[in-house]
Amino acid sequence: MMRKRKSSDSSNSDEESVQAAEPPEGRDRDDDDVKCMRTLFLDQLGQGKARWVQCITIFVAAFQSYSYNNVGSKVNVQVSIMTVIVIFGASPYCKSHLVPAAIGALVGGQNVIAATTDNENTVYATNYLWLLLLSVVVGLVWCFVITPFKVLDGSAGRLGTTTFIGMNITMLLFFGPLGVVQWERYILGVYQVIFIAEEDTTLDITNVWKWTDEAELAIGYCISVIWLGVAGGAIRIAHNSTHPPEALNNVLVPSLIALTSMLLVNSTGYKHAFGLYNGFAVGAYVAMASLQKIPTVKKFTLVSCTAAIWGLALTPFFVGFAGKSGFTAMLGHTTFESIERLIKKCMQQRLSRRRQEENQMRLANDTQQQQHQEQQSLQPVAPTSKDEAPSLMIHHPHSHKPQRENSVLLKQQRRQQSRLRHYQDQKLGNEPSLDSNSKLQHRGWSATQADAADGWQHPLESQQDSSNNVV
């Protein structure tokens, strides 16, 4: 028995020595595959361009902004959104994830999840599950619709519009039918008192402000939108003019200016500070537009004004929806572009009409000049002396017949003249008498009386002479 054990031990030791001397190729291949997968995972995670990485980044940023807004002491929604964007943009490891992080911050910056519960101050675990669902839908919209088809590429409020579209899809498919969010949120301003710029929706209807407060908040909201839009756009334009190769980040710079403005206003203790925060957010999304779409400070000002008007108009609608501020900025930009195209089209049509009228006038003048030249060429040469009257009839050089003075008169005119002479003769008492010497004469027989006396005689004249000679 001992010998058999020794032989088995020796055989096992021989196999182990062989495996140690010659490792299998399959194990090396597995190790290489693991290393490649690990390297690929880290590369995609660091670059932030893969779709799964962008979806994860959206949820992480949404988790942070939603927690800032609801857990512990509540922070304003816009302040939490801008804080998350600045944190991701300032981190050297997250700069490549800034765009999906900004979308995620907007996803978490909503006031609709758990808004219908009895205790809104309590944050349940289910709220984060609904937030995860919203993040997934928004990520799918961004990765499979907005990015591949370049929807609203370079326009203001593109990120907010993406969040707003995903919010509406989730609302129609999940939140509304399951009762997570009230359907009245679409038109909450009809049922409750919603103040200008959506400052606070929890106030009672008895606590209605005066119209002066509403006007003050509306003016402050418009000023805040214009300030952020113009300031952010002007800083980017000035930097690109001085340092063309190194462009500033179009997401980080407006967000940083907006967060700084919010903190300054918050330090003053202004009673309408929340309304100004919403204005700062809309202006920041306007300033994020591409400089190819909005190249001048003047256009940034006009787009900001248009977005401010849209913000006031949308106050009672989509209350608390994620991405509403970005959607407002997008409406302001597209509305301004539509008006600009319409004005250019009208000016081009007006210019083309002017050119057509000028061409028609030129053609008319040319035709008139040609006709005038033709008329001048056909007119006879005017007489040199003053006593000579211009002849009314064209002179034929080959006709030798003498022309009478009244040869150009019409037949009717000649009859009228003869009747007038006959009437004058009757009035004077000189009645015409049949004189034997008076002879009938026609203008076709002879041109003058001298010719009729000595020339050819008509047969009627011979008959008249014979009748007078009858006894």
Side-chain angles (χ1 to χ4, degrees), residues 64-288:
Q64 290 184 359
S65 62
Y66 184 78
S67 300
Y68 287 159
N69 185 26
N70 294 280
V71 177
S73 58
K74 285 191 174 184
V75 182
N76 182 264
V77 175
Q78 303 298 344
V79 175
S80 62
I81 291 173
M82 298 303 167
T83 302
V84 172
I85 294 175
V86 171
I87 289 173
F88 272 85
S91 175
Y93 302 102
C94 300
K95 287 184 178 181
S96 58
H97 302 76
L98 183 58
V99 173
I103 296 174
L106 292 170
V107 171
Q110 41 76 29
N111 291 324
V112 294
I113 296 178
T116 58
T117 57
D118 295 335
N119 188 5
E120 296 181 1
N121 296 323
T122 303
V123 179
Y124 300 97
T126 54
N127 296 349
Y128 287 99
L129 294 178
W130 297 125
L131 184 65
L132 175 61
L133 178 61
L134 178 59
S135 302
V136 171
V137 174
V138 173
L140 294 176
V141 172
W142 170 254
C143 295
F144 293 97
V145 178
I146 303 297
T147 303
F149 297 100
K150 296 182 179 180
V151 180
L152 299 172
D153 191 16
S155 299
R158 187 190 187 197
L159 306 181
T161 304
T162 303
T163 308
F164 188 76
I165 293 172
M167 179 69 203
N168 281 274
I169 294 173
T170 310
M171 179 70 184
L172 295 175
L173 296 180
F174 302 104
F175 289 173
L178 297 177
V180 179
V181 180
Q182 294 177 347
W183 291 106
E184 289 79 5
R185 282 279 174 175
Y186 279 101
I187 51 173
L188 189 62
V190 179
Y191 301 96
Q192 296 183 11
V193 177
I194 304 299
F195 297 110
I196 293 295
E198 196 181 286
E199 180 177 2
D200 192 359
T201 60
T202 60
L203 294 177
D204 188 19
I205 194 171
T206 57
N207 191 13
V208 178
W209 297 345
K210 297 180 180 179
W211 68 271
T212 55
D213 293 334
E214 294 281 347
E216 179 184 351
L217 180 55
I219 295 172
Y221 175 82
C222 294
I223 293 174
S224 61
V225 174
I226 297 171
W227 151 248
L228 240 300
V230 174
I235 291 173
R236 291 178 57 204
I237 292 172
H239 183 271
N240 288 349
S241 62
T242 55
H243 303 82
E246 300 177 1
L248 292 176
N249 193 302
N250 62 328
V251 177
L252 179 60
V253 172
S255 301
L256 183 60
I257 297 173
L259 181 60
T260 305
S261 302
M262 291 175 187
L263 295 178
L264 291 175
V265 172
N266 186 40
S267 63
T268 60
Y270 183 55
K271 62 178 180 179
H272 301 310
F274 290 174
L276 300 184
Y277 295 167
N278 293 329
F280 292 145
V282 175
Y285 302 138
V286 171
M288 293 179 187

Side-chain angles (χ1 to χ4, degrees), residues 419-432:
R419 289 175 184 174
L420 181 60
R421 285 195 295 268
H422 180 69
Y423 175 74
Q424 291 176 355
D425 293 339
Q426 287 181 354
K427 189 174 181 182
L428 295 173
N430 297 327
E431 295 181 357

Side-chain angles (χ1 to χ4, degrees), residues 247-447:
L248 292 176
N249 193 302
N250 62 328
V251 177
L252 179 60
V253 172
S255 301
L256 183 60
I257 297 173
L259 181 60
T260 305
S261 302
M262 291 175 187
L263 295 178
L264 291 175
V265 172
N266 186 40
S267 63
T268 60
Y270 183 55
K271 62 178 180 179
H272 301 310
F274 290 174
L276 300 184
Y277 295 167
N278 293 329
F280 292 145
V282 175
Y285 302 138
V286 171
M288 293 179 187
S290 174
L291 295 181
Q292 296 179 356
K293 292 290 188 71
I294 310 179
T296 60
V297 179
K298 180 181 178 181
K299 286 190 175 182
F300 269 109
T301 305
L302 296 176
V303 173
S304 301
C305 293
T306 311
I309 295 173
W310 271 110
L312 297 177
L314 292 176
T315 296
F317 307 104
F318 309 105
V319 178
F321 274 40
K324 181 181 176 182
S325 299
F327 179 70
T328 304
M330 185 273 297
L331 288 178
H333 191 187
T334 53
T335 303
F336 172 76
E337 285 186 343
S338 301
I339 295 173
E340 189 177 19
R341 288 197 202 101
L342 183 61
I343 293 174
K344 287 182 179 179
K345 187 176 180 180
C346 293
M347 292 178 66
Q348 289 177 357
Q349 291 180 355
R350 187 176 180 182
L351 183 60
S352 62
R353 288 177 182 175
R354 284 185 179 179
R355 290 178 179 175
Q356 290 178 359
E357 291 177 356
E358 290 177 356
N359 293 332
Q360 291 177 359
M361 291 177 65
R362 289 177 183 175
L363 291 174
N365 293 331
D366 294 340
T367 53
Q368 288 179 0
Q369 290 179 1
Q370 290 178 359
Q371 292 177 359
H372 184 66
Q373 291 176 359
E374 291 177 357
Q375 290 177 359
Q376 286 182 353
S377 62
L378 293 175
Q379 286 181 358
V381 181
T384 56
S385 62
K386 297 182 179 179
D387 297 335
E388 294 180 358
S391 60
L392 298 177
M393 294 184 67
I394 299 174
H395 177 69
H396 298 282
H398 297 287
S399 62
H400 302 284
K401 295 180 180 180
Q403 295 183 359
R404 299 172 60 184
E405 294 180 358
N406 59 350
S407 60
V408 294
L409 297 178
L410 298 176
K411 186 176 181 180
Q412 187 177 2
Q413 293 177 351
R414 289 195 297 272
R415 288 178 179 175
Q416 290 178 357
Q417 290 178 0
S418 62
R419 289 175 184 174
L420 181 60
R421 285 195 295 268
H422 180 69
Y423 175 74
Q424 291 176 355
D425 293 339
Q426 287 181 354
K427 189 174 181 182
L428 295 173
N430 297 327
E431 295 181 357
S433 59
L434 292 175
D435 190 2
S436 59
N437 295 326
S438 62
K439 297 179 180 180
L440 295 174
Q441 188 178 3
H442 193 268
R443 62 184 177 86
W445 303 343
S446 61

